[in-house]
Amino acid sequence: MQIGFIGAGNMSTAIIKGLIDSRFTSPEQVTLTKSTAERSKAQADQLGVAFSSNNTELVQQADIIILGVKPQKLPDVLNEIASEIKDSKKIVVSIAAGFNITKIQSFLGDEAKIVRVMPNMNIAIRRSVSGLSFSDNFSVEEKQLVSELFEQLGVTYELAEKDFVTFTAIAGCSPAFTAMYIDGLTRAAVKNGLPYELAQAITLEAVSGTLELMKDKTLSSWDLINQVSSPGGTTIEGVASLENDGFIPSLFHAVDATIKKDQEMSKE
Ligand SMILES: NC(=O)c1ccc[n+]([C@@H]2O[C@H](COP(=O)([O-])OP(=O)(O)OC[C@H]3O[C@@H](n4cnc5c(N)ncnc54)[C@H](OP(=O)(O)O)[C@@H]3O)[C@@H](O)[C@H]2O)c1
């Protein structure tokens, strides 16, 4: 099985490294392209994989094509490869935000086998949570193959496409939202006298330990909040302050804004 990557930036590079590290794929099974042949060669040499001088040639040689270009570049790429995809059994994986299956099929034909995948940046350490949504012409075996591929890179969830935007908001965007939370705690500690590096190291340990505890003990958020909020104590003062300042409504707004933007991009 040959896997072709159109676009080899942050995401595709992390996927390629993860697939090779997990031995799901050998370097000989991977081909990539970037915006120019020179850049493709340089990146391929660095990763120890093959490159194609153009996207059409790459598609001809691949069984699975992973589209790793930015959403703005996707229409041009889809137009470029459409004739190679039509009437073929090739599987096209899109990781682009704002492009639903119908929109991709409008370029590649209604019969094209499209799987939309939303990984997150944690894929770089094979800890992604990836949402998968398939067009309705996939066989069980084909679905299994794509699922197994992304399981090498973390956890996967198959979703109805209507739920994809919500998944994107809480999983695709989660690294950024979480980093903002960590940054807020870190800089609040700096304001109170701790050096930045020390404050960030402490915050990271506290946050990752909390996540482990919640998973290990299968605690809900409110189970944990109740456990650490002693009556009349310090934690409940902070919790009440966050409530007063609209911490939870801000997260609702952020998720809603992300969903709205994704829906707008799908309509363009
Ligand atoms: N980053 C995230 O956290 C994240 C999460 C989920 C999904 N995604 C999605 O993943 C996709 C890629 O994001 P990214 O962060 O990896 O972007 P990126 O680092 O900017 O990589 C984009 C790649 O596309 C290449 N490219 C541009 N035009 C091309 C063309 N005509 N033919 C072939 N390759 C071309 C670029 O090559 P050059 O370097 O030569 O310009 C670059 O290698 C996006 O659709 C994004 O929405 C990203």
Side-chain angles (χ1 to χ4, degrees):
M1 181 188 57
Q2 291 294 321
I3 308 179
F5 288 81
I6 298 185
N10 295 314
M11 269 290 147
S12 294
T13 299
I15 296 173
I16 293 169
K17 284 184 178 164
L19 292 179
I20 294 172
D21 285 352
S22 68
R23 299 182 189 279
F24 182 82
T25 309
S26 67
E28 295 75 37
Q29 290 173 290
V30 176
T31 307
L32 62 78
T33 56
K34 293 192 76 164
S35 57
T36 66
E38 295 72 38
R39 291 173 71 84
S40 305
K41 181 178 182 328
Q43 181 74 356
D45 287 350
Q46 207 181 342
L47 293 169
V49 301
F51 73 99
S52 282
S53 49
N54 63 64
N55 294 332
T56 317
E57 183 188 291
L58 177 135
V59 172
Q60 284 164 355
Q61 294 164 357
D63 305 299
I64 297 182
I65 296 107
I66 301 190
L67 301 171
V69 296
K70 289 281 189 202
Q72 306 88 288
K73 304 265 177 178
L74 201 50
D76 285 348
V77 166
L78 291 171
N79 280 325
E80 202 182 337
I81 64 171
S83 60
E84 299 299 330
I85 300 291
K86 276 183 188 134
D87 305 322
S88 78
K89 294 201 180 328
K90 295 175 191 291
I91 293 173
V92 177
V93 178
S94 168
I95 58 173
F99 272 75
N100 60 30
I101 290 173
T102 311
K103 190 168 170 185
I104 297 172
Q105 283 180 330
S106 73
F107 290 89
L108 301 182
D110 295 346
E111 301 302 313
K113 291 178 195 285
I114 313 293
V115 49
R116 240 186 122 179
V117 179
M118 181 49 63
N120 68 18
M121 206 54 219
N122 303 341
I123 208 162
I125 54 163
R126 291 170 61 199
R127 287 288 311 274
S128 178
V129 50
S130 303
L132 275 62
S133 186
F134 296 88
S135 57
D136 54 17
N137 51 0
F138 272 72
S139 67
V140 174
E141 293 75 22
E142 286 168 334
K143 275 190 174 184
Q144 207 173 338
L145 175 66
V146 177
S147 300
E148 271 174 26
L149 188 156
F150 281 93
E151 278 159 17
Q152 311 306 312
L153 308 165
V155 177
T156 64
Y157 290 91
E158 186 179 340
L159 300 163
E161 216 190 358
K162 72 175 177 52
D163 296 324
F164 213 77
V165 284
T166 310
F167 179 89
T168 302
I170 61 165
C173 306
S174 192
F177 298 163
T178 308
M180 285 182 77
Y181 169 71
I182 288 166
D183 179 60
L185 287 183
T186 301
R187 283 188 294 124
V190 173
K191 179 172 174 284
N192 283 281
L194 280 191
Y196 185 89
E197 284 75 19
L198 178 62
Q200 191 186 44
I202 293 168
T203 307
L204 282 176
E205 278 307 313
V207 170
S208 66
T210 304
L211 303 183
E212 289 300 317
L213 177 69
M214 287 181 77
K215 285 204 276 187
D216 191 62
K217 307 278 183 208
T218 48
L219 294 175
S220 75
S221 301
W222 276 107
D223 286 338
L224 183 59
I225 293 165
N226 287 338
Q227 278 183 24
V228 295
S229 297
S230 310
T234 50
T235 304
I236 192 66
E237 281 296 321
V239 169
S241 172
L242 284 171
E243 292 276 17
N244 276 337
D245 289 344
F247 183 67
I248 299 287
S250 319
L251 289 174
F252 276 50
H253 292 156
V255 169
D256 288 352
T258 307
I259 290 173
K260 185 162 170 268
K261 179 69 182 175
D262 200 323
Q263 287 167 336
E264 282 167 7
M265 284 168 70
S266 286
K267 280 189 206 132
E268 280 166 12

